Amino acid sequence: MKIKITGFALLFVILTACQSSPQQTKQEPAHTSAKTLSTKQNNLYNPRLSKQAEQTAKKIKGVDEAVSVVLDKDISIAVKVTGFDRFKLKSIKKELHEKIRREADKKYTIHITTDKKIYKELSDLRSKLKAGSIAPEEQKKKFEKLNKDMHG
């Protein structure tokens, strides 16, 4: 008899705990879901132009790898240059800037760096943007910091 009462009480507790209250359903739309966050990011982040900028950078002689993020009106590109090509960094950056300027609208500001630390940070930011795991305010803040660091 005790087992039946205990089982019934346990079942009652589980069923009542799983029900959602009206207050919870009202609060849910106020929070941003992952889908909403991803939609907001897509308004700022331009993956198509970012991929195009990376491909352009990789075509330049001396550039081994490239990572790019296009957010709002800024194009930030970090490239890896190794070996004797490191002696030609200035000309590589200039050539890349000219090619990107021809391909993109004039409204974009172009930032280019060969700094390895910024390359890694920009790559991490791009991964987070693709995954949609970063808030729009935080992405803008990190991106602006990276752009500031690129110019010293």
Side-chain angles (χ1 to χ4, degrees):
M1 182 74 171
K2 282 186 177 182
I3 295 174
K4 287 182 182 179
I5 294 173
T6 307
F8 178 73
L10 183 62
L11 182 64
F12 179 75
V13 170
I14 291 173
L15 290 176
T16 55
C18 291
Q19 292 180 347
S20 63
S21 67
Q23 291 175 342
Q24 288 175 339
T25 55
K26 288 180 184 175
Q27 290 176 353
E28 201 171 73
H31 299 310
T32 24
S33 66
K35 197 172 197 176
T36 308
L37 183 63
S38 176
T39 306
K40 285 182 182 177
Q41 286 176 341
N42 288 339
N43 294 339
L44 296 174
Y45 176 56
N46 187 338
R48 184 191 57 75
L49 188 56
S50 179
K51 182 100 171 144
Q52 182 181 352
E54 285 177 25
Q55 290 172 348
T56 301
K58 289 177 185 176
K59 290 178 186 175
I60 294 176
K61 186 179 182 298
V63 175
D64 298 328
E65 295 178 43
V67 63
S68 173
V69 172
V70 179
L71 203 61
D72 204 17
K73 302 292 181 206
D74 291 302
I75 300 174
S76 295
I77 306 167
V79 294
K80 282 189 179 179
V81 180
T82 57
F84 286 109
D85 293 320
R86 296 223 23 105
F87 292 116
K88 301 185 295 181
L89 288 179
K90 192 171 185 175
S91 64
I92 289 172
K93 285 182 184 180
K94 184 178 178 184
E95 181 183 352
L96 178 57
H97 190 276
E98 290 170 357
K99 285 189 176 190
I100 297 294
R101 176 59 58 210
R102 277 186 255 135
E103 291 179 3
D105 279 343
K106 303 291 182 208
K107 64 184 177 182
Y108 287 100
T109 305
I110 301 170
H111 310 274
I112 300 172
T113 187
T114 55
D115 185 282
K116 292 175 184 176
K117 181 181 176 189
I118 295 175
Y119 180 95
K120 184 185 179 319
E121 290 174 357
L122 195 64
S123 179
D124 291 344
L125 178 62
R126 184 187 64 174
S127 298
K128 288 179 182 178
L129 286 168
K130 282 184 176 181
S133 63
I134 185 169
E137 301 83 29
E138 186 181 349
Q139 75 185 13
K140 189 74 172 166
K141 184 179 172 183
K142 284 186 177 188
F143 189 67
E144 287 173 356
K145 182 189 177 305
L146 286 173
N147 288 338
K148 183 181 171 196
D149 290 347
M150 283 186 194
H151 298 288

